[in-house]
Amino acid sequence: SSPVALRLPNLLFAPVFFLYCYKISTAINHSLLRWTFLLSLCFAHSFLEFFAISRGYGISMALLMGTIWYLINFVGTHKLRYIPLCLVFIMLATYSNLALINTYVLILFFILVYAILNEKLFAGKDRKVLALLFFPGVVPLVYLGLILIRLKMNGNLWAGSANGLWTATVKTVIKLVTLSDAPVFGYFVVFYFILTCLLFVFLTIRGWKQKFFQSTSTIFFYLLAGNLIVILILGHVFKINYPEDRIGLYLIPLFIGFFLFLLDKIPSIRKFSFQLLLVIPLFFLPVQFLMRFNISYMSFYHDDNIPYRFYDKVNSVRIPGELPPTIGGYKGRHFCWSYLDFRHGGNLCDIYSSHYPGYEADFQIVDLKDNPAWLKVYDSVDYDKYSGRYLLKRKVPLKKVFSSASAILSLKGKSGSDFLTLYETSVDYD
């Protein structure tokens, strides 16, 4: 359970991410565009920090880049050995981050349609193509679908927001990457997205070199546009939450790849100065990396982080043999807190989040902006400047009493719920 052991999988996949970013960049002809692709992804702080924590996002980003690389090779060489490699990588990526299931479906559909449209190239290999699609592709996808259905039935797919694609997804991803709500970043994204789409449509209509639909830019466009369309359909028709910040982070490499590979296919854009003018906004990412580089704290994904000293201060007031102090906070914070408690023997309570933001707990780990009125009931005893979280201690602890035996409910048989309420009452905050 050591932090090193839990972080090791992501650390091991960091070289995989760099390797496939490099491999994909070799498909870009212009050196400036190639270096822009490498620097904007391999030195994007918001990506790299996920290779230092115990979440699946870093692993999924590395495997996604491998997926794209093998898909590029399949389209470029028509060799069937790239199909299982592509599908195994996207399968593992989706097991690391279920948000990539849309990409999984899109890639399966792409390979199937591509094989049908190019049936002469795969003449006599129809059964082999279908077998390669079914066993490493469809079978794992069905199992992933069953996992999602179970999660949905248990109410675990709560992440995200119903506020629409722009507000819930685009703006939160921009904020995660830039740490800013400044509208200028949104303007840049809209401008470059519209410009890139117009260029793509223009070149498509012209049928540039008749191989345009086999180009790498088409693959990136298909995955980006396909994901956006699926997200819109799921949100608008099926009322599934739109992905927020880290969940939609995979859209960034798709957008960057689409833009840079498309520029690389335009013969008229050969002057270094003109290329630099178009790509210079992307150098914000490596410059920001240099400005925020550190080895002591998380600067992007820090919302659920809890400093060790917070735990130590709460634990210091615990009296052996008596009821431990209670802790309140947002529901996502219970993961780190439970881990810290496990590492210290499991003597404290779990984080109580059902009535967040509430006043019942002895301590609160919170952002004061969520509820400034906390300071009427609590004193601030510590502050973490990196996450913006305060550790608050109640001025007057509430009296704790044992509920009577008659108040505890009994359940016959099994329950499919994650939690069961045994007892509930109101509290006089005054």
Side-chain angles (χ1 to χ4, degrees):
S1 67
S2 72
V4 173
L6 295 177
R7 292 173 174 176
L8 193 58
N10 279 284
L11 291 172
L12 292 175
F13 270 87
V16 178
F17 177 73
F18 297 140
L19 173 65
Y20 284 105
C21 282
Y22 169 75
K23 285 179 175 289
I24 293 173
S25 72
T26 60
I28 301 178
N29 297 314
H30 295 88
S31 59
L32 176 61
L33 300 180
R34 188 185 314 124
W35 279 104
T36 303
F37 181 86
L38 279 172
L39 292 174
S40 60
L41 290 181
C42 295
F43 290 91
H45 210 154
S46 53
F47 277 89
L48 295 187
E49 283 203 343
F50 282 106
F51 291 106
I53 59 177
S54 183
R55 299 298 298 267
Y57 299 107
I59 297 174
S60 69
M61 288 299 122
L63 293 168
L64 177 62
M65 301 311 290
T67 300
I68 294 172
W69 169 245
Y70 290 120
L71 188 61
I72 291 171
N73 277 273
F74 168 69
V75 171
T77 65
H78 304 120
K79 294 181 179 179
L80 296 184
R81 71 170 182 265
Y82 290 115
I83 294 179
L85 287 170
C86 175
L87 294 178
V88 167
F89 266 67
I90 190 58
M91 174 192 69
L92 295 175
T94 309
Y95 275 115
S96 301
N97 176 10
L98 278 172
L100 290 177
I101 194 168
N102 299 339
T103 307
Y104 195 162
V105 175
L106 289 169
I107 287 175
L108 271 174
F109 182 74
F110 180 91
I111 295 174
L112 178 62
V113 172
Y114 189 84
I116 293 173
L117 294 178
N118 296 274
E119 56 181 342
K120 293 182 180 179
L121 296 172
F122 304 102
K125 301 178 181 178
D126 298 349
R127 292 184 178 180
K128 192 172 183 179
V129 172
L130 290 175
L132 291 174
L133 285 172
F134 185 78
F135 290 106
V138 176
V139 173
L141 181 62
V142 171
Y143 186 63
L144 282 164
L146 294 174
I147 293 175
L148 282 172
I149 292 173
R150 181 60 182 269
L151 290 172
K152 181 68 175 178
M153 290 173 61
N154 287 347
N156 296 130
L157 296 181
W158 52 266
S161 169
N163 294 330
L165 181 64
W166 175 255
T167 301
T169 304
V170 179
K171 290 181 70 174
T172 58
V173 170
I174 291 174
K175 185 176 180 180
L176 179 67
V177 173
T178 64
L179 286 183
S180 173
D181 287 323
V184 64
F185 293 107
Y187 298 152
F188 268 110
V189 169
V190 171
F191 172 76
Y192 275 89
F193 182 75
I194 294 176
L195 174 65
T196 309
C197 288
L198 290 176
L199 287 172
F200 182 82
V201 172
F202 175 72
L203 292 176
T204 302
I205 293 174
R206 291 185 60 181
W208 187 70
K209 284 190 176 181
Q210 297 180 351
K211 292 184 178 181
F212 184 71
F213 286 102
Q214 296 182 4
S215 69
T216 306
S217 58
T218 305
I219 293 175
F220 275 101
F221 171 75
Y222 168 76
L223 293 177
L224 176 62
N227 270 288
L228 293 176
I229 291 172
V230 171
I231 290 171
L232 283 170
I233 293 174
L234 292 176
H236 186 70
V237 178
F238 297 98
K239 307 304 178 184
I240 295 176
N241 284 346
Y242 294 88
E244 288 182 324
D245 47 65
R246 68 189 186 278
I247 305 173
L249 196 63
Y250 67 93
L251 297 172
I252 296 295
L254 299 181
F255 176 72
I256 292 175
F258 174 41
F259 173 61
L260 294 177
F261 273 96
L262 186 64
L263 289 183
D264 190 55
K265 299 299 181 184
I266 301 176
S268 58
I269 303 181
R270 292 181 178 177
K271 289 185 178 181
F272 180 86
S273 57
F274 190 26
Q275 290 181 5
L276 182 62
L277 180 64
L278 289 173
V279 302
I280 199 168
L282 291 178
F283 283 91
F284 167 84
L285 296 172
V287 170
Q288 186 191 52
F289 172 82
L290 294 175
M291 294 175 62
R292 302 192 67 87
F293 178 80
N294 73 88
I295 57 174
S296 58
Y297 65 91
M298 301 290 293
S299 62
F300 278 87
Y301 187 63
H302 52 58
D303 287 354
D304 298 332
N305 183 47
I306 296 175
Y308 286 11
R309 66 179 189 275
F310 279 22
Y311 181 89
D312 293 336
K313 289 187 176 181
V314 176
N315 194 37
S316 66
V317 304
R318 179 181 65 89
I319 301 175
E322 296 187 6
L323 291 172
T326 52
I327 307 98
Y330 184 69
K331 55 188 175 184
R333 253 151 259 161
H334 75 276
F335 292 111
C336 288
W337 180 265
S338 296
Y339 170 73
L340 291 175
D341 194 36
F342 174 80
R343 294 279 292 172
H344 289 80
N347 294 312
L348 295 180
C349 294
D350 194 3
I351 282 189
Y352 179 68
S353 59
S354 299
H355 291 173
Y356 182 87
Y359 301 87
E360 300 92 338
D362 298 319
F363 289 88
Q364 297 274 1
I365 300 175
V366 294
D367 185 340
L368 278 179
K369 291 182 294 188
D370 293 345
N371 183 21
W374 271 315
L375 292 180
K376 296 180 180 179
V377 183
Y378 291 87
D379 292 320
S380 175
V381 294
D382 203 346
Y383 173 69
D384 178 46
K385 63 180 180 180
Y386 302 121
S387 64
R389 301 290 179 263
Y390 286 84
L391 176 63
L392 306 179
K393 183 179 181 181
R394 214 176 195 283
K395 297 178 180 180
V396 180
L398 293 175
K399 183 181 178 181
K400 297 181 178 65
V401 295
F402 284 105
S403 58
S404 62
S406 61
I408 298 180
L409 306 176
S410 62
L411 229 145
K412 295 181 180 179
K414 295 182 179 180
S415 171
S417 301
D418 289 339
F419 302 96
L420 174 66
T421 300
L422 297 177
Y423 180 70
E424 192 174 54
T425 187
S426 60
V427 175
D428 184 358
Y429 301 137
D430 295 331

